[in-house]
Amino acid sequence: MSLRSKFFFALLALGPLTLRAQTLPRIHSMGNRFVNTQGDTVLFRGLSVADPDKIEREGHWNPALFEHVRDMGATLVRLPVHPSAWRARTPQRYLVLLDSAVRWCGRIGLYVDIDWHSIGNLETGLFQDQIYNTSLQETFSFWRTIAQHFTGNSTVAFYELFNEPTTYNGQLGRVSWSTWKKTNEDLIHLVRSFDRQTVPLVAGFDWAYDLTPLHEEPIDAEGIGYVVHPYPFKRGQPWEPRWDEDFGFAAGKYPVIATEIGFEWKEGDPADGAEHYGTRITQYLEQHGISWVAWVYETTWWPGMLKSWDTWELTGCGRFFRGAMHAAGR
């Protein structure tokens, strides 16, 4: 038996009861905040890693990865699960990866966001790339499996129900907010039949950027949060008034978390300058009480924060987000 096989069978043998022994204080959604069991406001600052399937296949899936994430200043790590990887590895074997991450993170004080990482129109069944291909049935099945498996484990703070809903400017067909609203409400109902405590996260349209439908039709569910991905190319400058209009207003009433922010850094870029996107978006989110997660702690995905797995050397955007998290956490 190979070492990899022994690793998987050993983790399977541990089972969910051992997994639940390593937990952190429960996170809840209250008003427009995320709070801990004492009712104290928790503003998360975190990092997204690559798909765990990719990381494991490349030989880097181990506790050291999450220790480096924590040392960057993160309090939350996002685990993006691509539907194609979920199917190829099989749910049972993919759960082994997630179990190990949750166990490692619980031991070092990192919360976890499990993200169903698809991009496209779930209603029409059309997606931006083959790796994102899924279906309503598979999406509901995924969340039934995840919620049943991780119920009782408070290290898993968030279930991010769908990464980036988009019609791709009509190329993926039409979908109304009312339809998307009902789909998410049905997903939340399903999740809560197994797990009533982990916080579901709902993304807006335009690749998880536009939350303006909340003015008229918020999700009919308590104890949830909303997702935004405010990349610099989403709107022209000046950014701040557009951010106010598109998602910032929602933070006055609901918990909001930017589960992806990021930028490409080039040599000579004033990445820590007052007018730079990185500075402005992190300051904006902090001032509005919006938790944030930087994309992506990885060597090959854009815009990567790592230059090398061997040395853990950071790129310019990696250095920026390390500094931003440490400064904000003081």
Side-chain angles (χ1 to χ4, degrees), residues 108-282:
I108 62 174
L110 268 179
Y111 285 94
V112 171
D113 167 21
I114 298 176
D115 157 46
W116 186 232
H117 201 77
S118 180
I119 302 177
N121 187 342
L122 196 55
E123 179 66 18
T124 62
L126 298 175
F127 301 92
Q128 194 165 312
D129 190 273
Q130 285 189 343
I131 62 171
Y132 306 123
N133 284 354
T134 184
S135 65
L136 277 167
Q137 181 180 2
E138 184 180 47
T139 299
F140 275 85
S141 178
F142 173 81
W143 286 115
R144 179 177 64 175
T145 299
I146 294 295
Q148 186 174 20
H149 188 77
F150 288 105
T151 185
N153 190 303
S154 55
T155 299
V156 182
F158 302 114
Y159 294 147
E160 193 170 344
L161 300 178
F162 192 89
N163 170 47
E164 289 188 344
T166 179
T167 64
Y168 204 158
N169 304 314
Q171 296 178 31
L172 303 179
R174 295 194 299 179
V175 60
S176 69
W177 176 260
S178 295
T179 297
W180 182 237
K181 175 178 180 292
K182 183 180 184 304
T183 295
N184 279 277
E185 290 166 354
D186 289 344
L187 281 168
I188 292 164
H189 185 271
L190 174 69
V191 163
R192 286 184 170 160
S193 69
F194 298 102
D195 182 350
R196 300 190 62 83
Q197 295 184 302
T198 304
V199 178
L201 298 178
V202 177
F205 287 160
D206 192 9
W207 290 271
Y209 176 77
D210 181 10
L211 292 180
T212 56
L214 300 188
H215 285 299
E216 303 295 335
E217 291 187 272
I219 302 298
D220 186 14
E222 299 296 324
I224 69 171
Y226 290 98
V227 164
V228 64
H229 292 175
Y231 284 106
F233 50 80
K234 297 303 298 186
R235 294 291 185 269
Q237 297 198 50
W239 285 311
E240 288 79 2
R242 291 174 171 83
W243 291 339
D244 287 341
E245 294 174 1
D246 296 336
F247 66 87
F249 73 92
K253 191 172 183 180
Y254 310 105
V256 177
I257 177 169
T259 57
E260 287 188 23
I261 58 173
F263 60 92
E264 183 176 8
W265 186 88
K266 298 176 182 178
E267 292 298 330
D269 245 5
D272 56 352
E275 295 305 310
H276 191 274
Y277 161 81
T279 300
R280 288 166 65 179
I281 189 60
T282 52

Side-chain angles (χ1 to χ4, degrees), residues 17 19 33 97 169 172 321:
L17 292 178
L19 180 66
R33 303 173 296 145
L97 292 181
N169 304 314
L172 303 179
F321 283 118

